Coordinates of all heavy atoms in Angstrom, one line a residue:
G1 N 1.5 -50.1 84.1 CA 0.8 -49.4 85.2 C 1.8 -49.1 86.4 O 1.7 -48.0 86.9
R2 N 2.6 -50.0 86.7 CA 3.6 -49.8 87.8 C 4.5 -48.7 87.4 O 4.9 -47.9 88.3 CB 4.3 -51.2 88.0 CG 5.1 -51.2 89.3 CD 6.0 -52.4 89.4 NE 5.2 -53.7 89.3 CZ 5.7 -54.9 89.3 NH1 7.0 -55.0 89.2 NH2 4.9 -55.9 89.2
K3 N 4.9 -48.7 86.2 CA 5.9 -47.6 85.7 C 5.2 -46.2 85.8 O 5.8 -45.3 86.2 CB 6.3 -47.9 84.3 CG 7.4 -46.9 83.8 CD 7.9 -47.2 82.5 CE 9.0 -46.2 82.0 NZ 9.6 -46.6 80.7
Q4 N 3.9 -46.2 85.5 CA 3.2 -44.9 85.6 C 3.1 -44.4 87.0 O 3.3 -43.2 87.3 CB 1.8 -45.0 84.9 CG 1.8 -45.2 83.4 CD 2.4 -44.0 82.7 OE1 2.2 -42.8 83.1 NE2 3.2 -44.3 81.7
Q5 N 2.9 -45.4 87.9 CA 2.9 -45.0 89.3 C 4.2 -44.5 89.8 O 4.4 -43.6 90.6 CB 2.5 -46.2 90.2 CG 1.0 -46.4 90.3 CD 0.6 -47.5 91.3 OE1 0.5 -48.6 91.1 NE2 0.5 -47.0 92.6
Y6 N 5.3 -45.2 89.3 CA 6.6 -44.8 89.7 C 7.0 -43.4 89.3 O 7.5 -42.6 90.0 CB 7.6 -45.8 89.1 CG 9.1 -45.4 89.2 CD1 9.7 -45.2 90.4 CD2 9.8 -45.1 88.0 CE1 11.0 -44.8 90.5 CE2 11.1 -44.7 88.1 CZ 11.7 -44.6 89.3 OH 13.1 -44.2 89.4
V7 N 6.6 -43.1 88.0 CA 6.9 -41.8 87.5 C 6.0 -40.7 88.2 O 6.5 -39.7 88.6 CB 6.5 -41.7 86.0 CG1 6.6 -40.3 85.4 CG2 7.5 -42.6 85.2
T8 N 4.8 -41.1 88.5 CA 3.9 -40.2 89.3 C 4.6 -39.9 90.7 O 4.6 -38.8 91.2 CB 2.5 -40.9 89.5 OG1 1.9 -41.0 88.3 CG2 1.6 -40.0 90.4
G9 N 5.1 -41.0 91.4 CA 5.7 -40.8 92.7 C 6.9 -39.9 92.6 O 7.1 -39.1 93.4
M10 N 7.7 -40.1 91.5 CA 9.0 -39.3 91.4 C 8.6 -37.9 91.2 O 9.3 -37.0 91.7 CB 9.8 -39.9 90.3 CG 10.4 -41.3 90.5 SD 11.4 -41.4 92.0 CE 13.0 -41.3 91.3
I11 N 7.6 -37.6 90.4 CA 7.1 -36.2 90.2 C 6.7 -35.6 91.5 O 7.0 -34.5 91.9 CB 6.0 -36.1 89.1 CG1 6.5 -36.5 87.8 CG2 5.4 -34.8 89.1 CD1 5.4 -36.7 86.7
A12 N 6.0 -36.4 92.3 CA 5.5 -35.9 93.6 C 6.6 -35.7 94.5 O 6.6 -34.7 95.3 CB 4.5 -37.0 94.2
F13 N 7.7 -36.5 94.5 CA 8.8 -36.3 95.3 C 9.5 -35.0 94.9 O 10.1 -34.2 95.7 CB 9.8 -37.5 95.3 CG 9.3 -38.7 96.0 CD1 9.4 -39.9 95.3 CD2 8.8 -38.6 97.3 CE1 8.9 -41.1 96.0 CE2 8.3 -39.8 97.9 CZ 8.4 -41.0 97.3
G14 N 9.6 -34.8 93.6 CA 10.1 -33.5 93.1 C 9.4 -32.3 93.6 O 9.9 -31.3 94.0
V15 N 8.0 -32.4 93.6 CA 7.2 -31.3 94.1 C 7.4 -31.1 95.6 O 7.5 -30.0 96.1 CB 5.7 -31.7 93.8 CG1 4.8 -30.7 94.6 CG2 5.4 -31.7 92.3
A16 N 7.6 -32.2 96.3 CA 7.9 -32.2 97.7 C 9.2 -31.4 98.0 O 9.3 -30.6 98.9 CB 7.9 -33.6 98.3
L17 N 10.2 -31.7 97.2 CA 11.5 -31.0 97.3 C 11.3 -29.5 97.1 O 11.9 -28.7 97.9 CB 12.5 -31.6 96.3 CG 13.9 -31.0 96.3 CD1 14.6 -31.0 97.6 CD2 14.7 -31.6 95.2
I18 N 10.7 -29.1 96.1 CA 10.5 -27.7 95.8 C 9.7 -27.0 96.9 O 10.0 -25.9 97.3 CB 9.8 -27.5 94.4 CG1 10.7 -28.0 93.3 CG2 9.4 -26.1 94.2 CD1 10.0 -28.1 91.9
T19 N 8.6 -27.7 97.4 CA 7.8 -27.2 98.4 C 8.6 -26.9 99.7 O 8.5 -25.9 100.4 CB 6.6 -28.1 98.7 OG1 5.9 -28.3 97.6 CG2 5.7 -27.5 99.8
V20 N 9.5 -27.9 100.1 CA 10.3 -27.8 101.3 C 11.3 -26.7 101.1 O 11.6 -25.9 102.0 CB 11.0 -29.1 101.6 CG1 12.1 -29.0 102.6 CG2 10.0 -30.2 102.0
M21 N 11.9 -26.6 99.9 CA 12.9 -25.5 99.6 C 12.4 -24.1 99.9 O 13.1 -23.2 100.4 CB 13.5 -25.7 98.2 CG 14.4 -26.8 98.0 SD 14.9 -27.0 96.3 CE 15.8 -25.4 96.1
F22 N 11.1 -23.9 99.5 CA 10.5 -22.6 99.5 C 9.8 -22.3 100.9 O 9.4 -21.1 101.1 CB 9.5 -22.4 98.4 CG 10.2 -22.1 97.1 CD1 10.4 -23.1 96.1 CD2 10.6 -20.8 96.8 CE1 11.0 -22.8 94.9 CE2 11.2 -20.5 95.6 CZ 11.4 -21.5 94.6
T23 N 9.6 -23.3 101.7 CA 8.9 -23.1 102.9 C 9.6 -23.4 104.2 O 9.1 -22.9 105.3 CB 7.6 -23.9 102.9 OG1 7.9 -25.3 102.8 CG2 6.7 -23.6 101.7
Y24 N 10.7 -24.1 104.2 CA 11.3 -24.5 105.4 C 11.8 -23.4 106.3 O 11.7 -23.4 107.5 CB 12.5 -25.5 105.2 CG 13.8 -24.9 104.8 CD1 14.7 -24.4 105.8 CD2 14.2 -24.7 103.5 CE1 15.9 -23.9 105.4 CE2 15.4 -24.1 103.1 CZ 16.3 -23.7 104.1 OH 17.4 -23.1 103.8
K25 N 12.2 -22.3 105.7 CA 12.7 -21.1 106.5 C 11.6 -20.5 107.3 O 11.8 -20.2 108.4 CB 13.3 -20.1 105.5 CG 14.6 -20.5 104.9 CD 15.2 -19.3 104.1 CE 16.5 -19.7 103.5 NZ 17.1 -18.7 102.6
G26 N 10.4 -20.5 106.7 CA 9.2 -20.0 107.4 C 8.8 -20.9 108.6 O 8.5 -20.4 109.7
F27 N 8.9 -22.2 108.4 CA 8.6 -23.1 109.4 C 9.6 -23.0 110.6 O 9.2 -22.9 111.8 CB 8.6 -24.6 108.9 CG 7.4 -25.0 108.3 CD1 7.1 -24.8 106.9 CD2 6.4 -25.7 109.0 CE1 5.9 -25.2 106.3 CE2 5.2 -26.1 108.4 CZ 5.0 -25.9 107.1
F28 N 10.9 -23.0 110.2 CA 11.9 -22.9 111.3 C 11.9 -21.6 112.0 O 12.2 -21.5 113.2 CB 13.3 -23.1 110.7 CG 13.5 -24.6 110.2 CD1 14.7 -24.9 109.4 CD2 12.6 -25.6 110.5 CE1 14.9 -26.2 109.0 CE2 12.8 -26.9 110.0 CZ 13.9 -27.2 109.3
A29 N 11.6 -20.5 111.3 CA 11.5 -19.2 111.9 C 10.4 -19.1 113.0 O 10.6 -18.3 113.9 CB 11.3 -18.1 110.8
E30 N 9.4 -19.9 112.8 CA 8.3 -19.9 113.8 C 8.5 -21.0 114.8 O 7.6 -21.3 115.7 CB 7.0 -20.2 113.1 CG 6.5 -19.1 112.1 CD 5.2 -19.3 111.5 OE1 4.5 -20.3 111.9 OE2 4.9 -18.6 110.5
G31 N 9.7 -21.6 114.8 CA 10.0 -22.7 115.8 C 9.3 -24.0 115.5 O 9.3 -24.9 116.3
L32 N 8.8 -24.2 114.2 CA 8.2 -25.4 113.8 C 9.2 -26.4 113.3 O 9.6 -26.3 112.1 CB 7.1 -25.2 112.8 CG 5.8 -24.4 113.3 CD1 4.9 -24.0 112.2 CD2 5.1 -25.3 114.4

């Protein structure tokens, strides 16, 4: 179970990375 949580977390971190890559310019352009 711990390993399944770890894999889940790593997938979520990967999703977070992709989300940041595609959205950070919009945030910074608005001064956020």
Side-chain angles (χ1 to χ4, degrees):
R2 193 186 301 173
K3 185 174 182 179
Q4 289 300 317
Q5 277 192 269
Y6 168 65
V7 174
T8 299
M10 294 302 261
I11 292 172
F13 289 132
V15 171
L17 174 59
I18 294 171
T19 304
V20 170
M21 286 178 63
F22 281 96
T23 59
Y24 81 86
K25 289 183 180 178
F27 275 88
F28 291 172
E30 295 180 15
L32 291 172

